[in-house]
Amino acid sequence: VRRFATVSHTGRSDGAWNLNDLAGGAGRVDVLCRNIQSALLLSHGLRADAEFYAVLTGPPQGPKTVRLQGSAIQMLHPDERSTAARLQQALQAAWSVPDWKEVQRGLAVARFGLEGLLDDLKGRCTPVLLDPKGTPIESWDPPKEPLFLLSDHIPFTEAEYAALDAKGVQRVSLGPHWYHGNHAISVVQWFLDKRSPVPSDARPTTS
Ligand SMILES: C[S@@+](CC[C@H](N)C(=O)[O-])C[C@H]1O[C@@H](n2cnc3c(N)ncnc32)[C@H](O)[C@@H]1O
C-alpha cells in the first residue's frame, strides 16, 4: 500500500467549517483536499492500493487524524468541496473507541496526531519525509510500503522535525524548488507507477 499523510497546522479539528470557505475560515482545508485527490484518484478511477491520512494538529478539539482508503471508500469525487465534506463527516462523528472509528466504508477517524499515527503504523510501513534537502528521488530505492509525509502551507515545526528525526525518518527530495503538496504527491505517484504500474483493478469512478 502507498500511504500519504499531510499535516494540517491550521485546519479546524472539529470540522466546523463552511464548505464555501475552505481556504479561509476552515484553515486551508483546500490543501488537504487537493492532496487527497492526488493520493487516491486517477482519471475515472480510484487507486485501490493507496491510503491518505489527514493529520489535523490543532484547535479546537486537539489532534485528530482522518484516514481515507482507496480500496474501500465510496463516492469520492475530484472536487474540493465534496472531499472537504467527507473530512467534515469524519471529524464530526461521535465515537468512544480509543483508536480508529470507521465512519463510513473506507473513511475513519482517530484522536491522535502525527506521532500517534507513526506509532499506529509502526512495523507496517516505512515513513519517508518529502523534503527538498533529502536524498534525490532518482537515486532512492523506495521501500515496499512507504508512508510519505508532507506538511501543508506551513513548514513542519521544530518539534515535528525533532520527533521525525528521533524516529530516524528518511528524507527524500524532488529537487530544490518547493512544490505544492498535491504536485509533490503526483510526482511521487508517477515515480512509483513507473516502477510498479497501477494495478488493473483500479476502482472505477464517475469522473
Ligand atoms: C507547499 S510545501 C510546504 C511549503 C512550506 N512553506 C514549507 O516550508 O514546508 C508542501 C509539502 O510538499 C513537499 N514538497 C514540496 N516540494 C518538495 C520537494 N522539492 N522535494 C520534496 N518534497 C517537497 C514537502 O513535504 C512539503 O512539506
Side-chain angles (χ1 to χ4, degrees), residues 34-172:
R34 286 192 291 275
N35 286 9
I36 288 168
Q37 290 163 15
S38 294
L40 298 184
L41 293 179
L42 295 160
S43 179
H44 298 281
L46 265 164
R47 291 179 179 269
D49 64 339
E51 293 180 2
F52 186 87
Y53 297 84
V55 181
L56 294 99
T57 60
Q61 290 185 345
K64 287 188 195 170
T65 296
V66 179
R67 180 182 68 201
L68 298 92
Q69 294 174 297
S71 58
I73 197 157
Q74 293 175 316
M75 307 289 287
L76 183 71
H77 301 299
D79 68 280
E80 290 166 28
R81 201 172 192 283
S82 68
T83 304
R86 303 301 286 279
L87 290 176
Q88 195 171 48
Q89 286 156 15
L91 292 168
Q92 294 186 339
W95 83 97
S96 54
V97 292
D99 50 11
W100 293 107
K101 157 84 178 172
E102 184 102 12
V103 176
Q104 298 165 7
R105 273 195 63 185
L107 180 72
V109 62
R111 268 188 217 283
F112 49 64
L114 180 59
E115 287 202 62
L117 175 65
L118 294 177
D119 290 344
D120 184 69
L121 290 173
K122 196 169 176 185
R124 287 191 281 149
C125 65
T126 306
V128 177
L129 176 59
L130 286 176
D131 186 313
K133 294 199 183 108
T135 304
I137 196 165
E138 307 88 307
S139 55
W140 175 68
D141 198 14
K144 271 212 174 89
E145 299 268 335
L147 164 67
F148 295 98
L149 304 169
L150 299 93
S151 191
D152 55 357
H153 58 297
I154 292 175
F156 282 108
T157 63
E158 289 306 319
E160 287 166 343
Y161 276 127
L164 295 174
D165 287 342
K167 290 183 189 294
V169 173
Q170 55 185 299
R171 298 187 187 201
V172 169

